[in-house]
Coordinates of all heavy atoms in Angstrom, one line a residue:
Chain B
R398 N -20.2 9.1 -97.6 CA -19.2 9.8 -96.6 C -18.4 10.7 -97.5 O -18.2 10.5 -98.7 CB -18.3 8.8 -96.0 CG -17.3 9.3 -95.0 CD -16.4 8.3 -94.6 NE -17.0 7.4 -93.5 CZ -16.9 7.6 -92.2 NH1 -16.2 8.7 -91.7 NH2 -17.5 6.8 -91.4
R399 N -18.0 11.9 -96.9 CA -17.1 12.8 -97.6 C -15.9 12.0 -98.0 O -15.3 11.3 -97.2 CB -16.7 13.9 -96.6 CG -17.8 15.0 -96.3 CD -17.2 15.9 -95.2 NE -18.2 16.9 -94.9 CZ -18.4 17.5 -93.7 NH1 -17.6 17.2 -92.7 NH2 -19.3 18.4 -93.6
P400 N -15.5 12.1 -99.3 CA -14.3 11.5 -99.7 C -13.1 12.1 -99.0 O -13.0 13.3 -99.0 CB -14.3 11.7 -101.2 CG -15.2 12.9 -101.5 CD -16.2 12.9 -100.4
F401 N -12.2 11.3 -98.6 CA -11.1 11.8 -97.8 C -10.2 12.7 -98.7 O -10.0 13.9 -98.4 CB -10.2 10.7 -97.2 CG -9.1 11.1 -96.4 CD1 -9.2 12.3 -95.6 CD2 -7.9 10.4 -96.3 CE1 -8.1 12.7 -94.8 CE2 -6.8 10.8 -95.4 CZ -7.0 12.0 -94.7
V402 N -9.7 12.2 -99.8 CA -8.9 12.9 -100.7 C -9.4 12.8 -102.1 O -9.7 11.7 -102.5 CB -7.4 12.4 -100.7 CG1 -6.6 13.0 -101.8 CG2 -6.8 12.7 -99.3
T403 N -9.6 13.9 -102.8 CA -10.0 13.9 -104.2 C -8.8 14.3 -105.1 O -8.3 15.4 -104.9 CB -11.2 14.9 -104.4 OG1 -12.2 14.4 -103.6 CG2 -11.7 14.8 -105.9
H404 N -8.4 13.5 -106.0 CA -7.2 13.7 -106.8 C -7.6 13.9 -108.2 O -8.2 13.0 -108.8 CB -6.3 12.5 -106.6 CG -5.0 12.6 -107.2 ND1 -4.1 11.5 -107.5 CD2 -4.3 13.7 -107.7 CE1 -3.0 11.9 -108.1 NE2 -3.1 13.2 -108.2
F405 N -7.1 15.0 -108.8 CA -7.5 15.3 -110.2 C -6.4 14.8 -111.1 O -5.8 15.6 -111.9 CB -7.7 16.8 -110.3 CG -9.0 17.3 -109.6 CD1 -9.1 17.5 -108.3 CD2 -10.2 17.4 -110.4 CE1 -10.3 17.9 -107.6 CE2 -11.4 17.8 -109.8 CZ -11.4 18.0 -108.4
T406 N -6.3 13.5 -111.0 CA -5.4 12.8 -112.0 C -5.8 13.1 -113.4 O -7.0 13.0 -113.7 CB -5.4 11.3 -111.8 OG1 -6.6 10.9 -111.4 CG2 -4.3 10.8 -110.8
G407 N -4.9 13.3 -114.3 CA -5.2 13.5 -115.7 C -5.6 14.9 -116.0 O -5.8 15.2 -117.2
C408 N -5.8 15.8 -115.0 CA -6.2 17.1 -115.3 C -5.1 18.1 -115.6 O -5.3 19.1 -116.3 CB -7.1 17.7 -114.2 SG -8.8 17.1 -114.3
Q409 N -3.9 17.9 -115.0 CA -2.7 18.7 -115.3 C -3.0 20.2 -115.2 O -2.9 20.9 -116.2 CB -2.1 18.4 -116.7 CG -1.9 16.9 -116.9 CD -0.6 16.5 -116.3 OE1 0.2 17.3 -115.8 NE2 -0.3 15.2 -116.3
P410 N -3.4 20.7 -114.0 CA -3.8 22.1 -113.9 C -2.6 23.0 -114.3 O -2.8 24.2 -114.8 CB -4.1 22.2 -112.4 CG -3.5 21.1 -111.7 CD -3.5 20.0 -112.7
C411 N -1.4 22.6 -114.1 CA -0.3 23.5 -114.4 C 0.0 23.7 -115.8 O 0.0 24.9 -116.3 CB 1.0 23.1 -113.6 SG 2.2 24.4 -113.4
N412 N 0.2 22.6 -116.5 CA 0.5 22.8 -118.0 C -0.7 22.8 -118.8 O -0.7 23.2 -120.0 CB 1.5 21.7 -118.4 CG 1.0 20.3 -118.3 OD1 -0.2 20.1 -118.3 ND2 2.0 19.4 -118.0
G413 N -1.9 22.4 -118.2 CA -3.1 22.4 -118.9 C -3.3 21.3 -119.9 O -4.3 21.2 -120.6
N414 N -2.3 20.4 -120.0 CA -2.4 19.3 -121.0 C -3.2 18.1 -120.4 O -2.7 17.0 -120.1 CB -1.0 18.8 -121.4 CG -0.2 19.9 -122.1 OD1 -0.8 20.8 -122.7 ND2 1.1 19.8 -122.0
H415 N -4.5 18.3 -120.2 CA -5.3 17.3 -119.5 C -5.5 16.1 -120.5 O -5.4 16.3 -121.7 CB -6.6 18.0 -119.1 CG -7.4 18.6 -120.3 ND1 -8.2 17.8 -121.1 CD2 -7.5 19.8 -120.7 CE1 -8.7 18.6 -122.0 NE2 -8.3 19.8 -121.8
N416 N -5.9 15.0 -119.8 CA -6.2 13.8 -120.6 C -7.4 14.1 -121.5 O -8.4 14.8 -121.1 CB -6.6 12.7 -119.6 CG -6.7 11.3 -120.3 OD1 -7.3 11.2 -121.4 ND2 -6.2 10.3 -119.6
R417 N -7.4 13.7 -122.7 CA -8.4 14.1 -123.7 C -9.7 13.4 -123.5 O -10.7 13.8 -124.2 CB -7.9 13.8 -125.1 CG -6.7 14.7 -125.5 CD -6.9 16.2 -125.4 NE -5.7 16.9 -125.2 CZ -5.7 18.3 -124.9 NH1 -6.9 18.9 -124.8 NH2 -4.6 18.9 -124.7
I418 N -9.8 12.5 -122.6 CA -11.1 11.8 -122.4 C -12.1 12.7 -121.6 O -13.3 12.4 -121.6 CB -10.9 10.4 -121.6 CG1 -10.3 10.7 -120.2 CG2 -10.1 9.5 -122.5 CD1 -10.2 9.4 -119.4
Y419 N -11.6 13.8 -121.1 CA -12.5 14.8 -120.5 C -12.0 16.2 -120.9 O -10.9 16.4 -121.3 CB -12.6 14.7 -119.0 CG -11.4 14.1 -118.3 CD1 -10.3 14.8 -118.0 CD2 -11.5 12.7 -117.8 CE1 -9.2 14.2 -117.4 CE2 -10.4 12.2 -117.1 CZ -9.3 12.9 -116.9 OH -8.2 12.3 -116.3
S420 N -13.0 17.1 -120.8 CA -12.7 18.4 -121.2 C -11.9 19.2 -120.1 O -12.1 18.8 -118.9 CB -14.0 19.2 -121.5 OG -14.7 19.4 -120.3
G421 N -11.2 20.2 -120.5 CA -10.6 21.1 -119.5 C -11.6 21.7 -118.6 O -11.4 21.8 -117.4
E422 N -12.7 22.1 -119.2 CA -13.8 22.7 -118.4 C -14.3 21.8 -117.3 O -14.5 22.3 -116.1 CB -15.0 23.0 -119.3 CG -16.0 24.0 -118.8 CD -15.5 25.4 -118.5 OE1 -14.4 25.7 -119.0 OE2 -16.2 26.1 -117.8
S423 N -14.5 20.6 -117.6 CA -14.9 19.6 -116.5 C -13.9 19.5 -115.4 O -14.2 19.4 -114.2 CB -15.3 18.3 -117.1 OG -14.1 17.6 -117.6

Side-chain angles (χ1 to χ4, degrees):
Chain B
R398 181 185 282 269
R399 286 169 179 153
F401 184 32
V402 169
T403 303
H404 185 196
F405 287 83
T406 32
C408 279
Q409 305 283 351
C411 196
N412 61 30
N414 299 335
H415 57 84
N416 191 319
R417 297 299 155 190
I418 60 175
Y419 24 79
S420 69
E422 193 66 10
S423 63

